[in-house]
Amino acid sequence: MHVPDRPGVLAGITQALGAERINIEDFELQHLSPERGGVLMLLVAGEGQGERAAALLEEQGYGVVVSPVLDE
């Protein structure tokens, strides 16, 4: 998802997911610039948890793209 470069953005995302008991297994932030923000990639275990996380973050106004890590 695209995230702005502002204080508290990552804290807000992690607090929202934590409040819903959604565990972040891993993450990566690719910072583009102070003006453009960056791209945050979150790894959440389980399809159901991923869907819940995506819905929660979309409610907060983030554009979320969901994709599986492993094909079964």
Side-chain angles (χ1 to χ4, degrees), residues 5-27:
D5 184 346
R6 281 195 321 258
V9 169
L10 290 178
I13 290 169
T14 58
Q15 287 174 350
L17 294 176
E20 292 296 319
R21 313 281 301 161
I22 298 171
N23 188 40
I24 298 170
E25 299 285 328
D26 198 5
F27 73 95

Side-chain angles (χ1 to χ4, degrees), residues 24 43 46 51 55 70:
I24 298 170
L43 177 63
E51 290 173 1
L70 301 173

Side-chain angles (χ1 to χ4, degrees), residues 1-6 9-10 13 28-42 54 57-58 60-66:
M1 75 183 103
H2 176 263
V3 292
D5 184 346
R6 281 195 321 258
V9 169
L10 290 178
I13 290 169
E28 180 179 341
L29 175 63
Q30 295 177 346
H31 186 255
L32 303 173
S33 71
E35 297 77 28
R36 294 180 62 202
V39 177
L40 177 64
M41 291 173 272
L42 298 173
L57 294 170
E58 286 173 343
Q60 292 186 1
Y62 294 102
V64 178
V65 176
V66 178

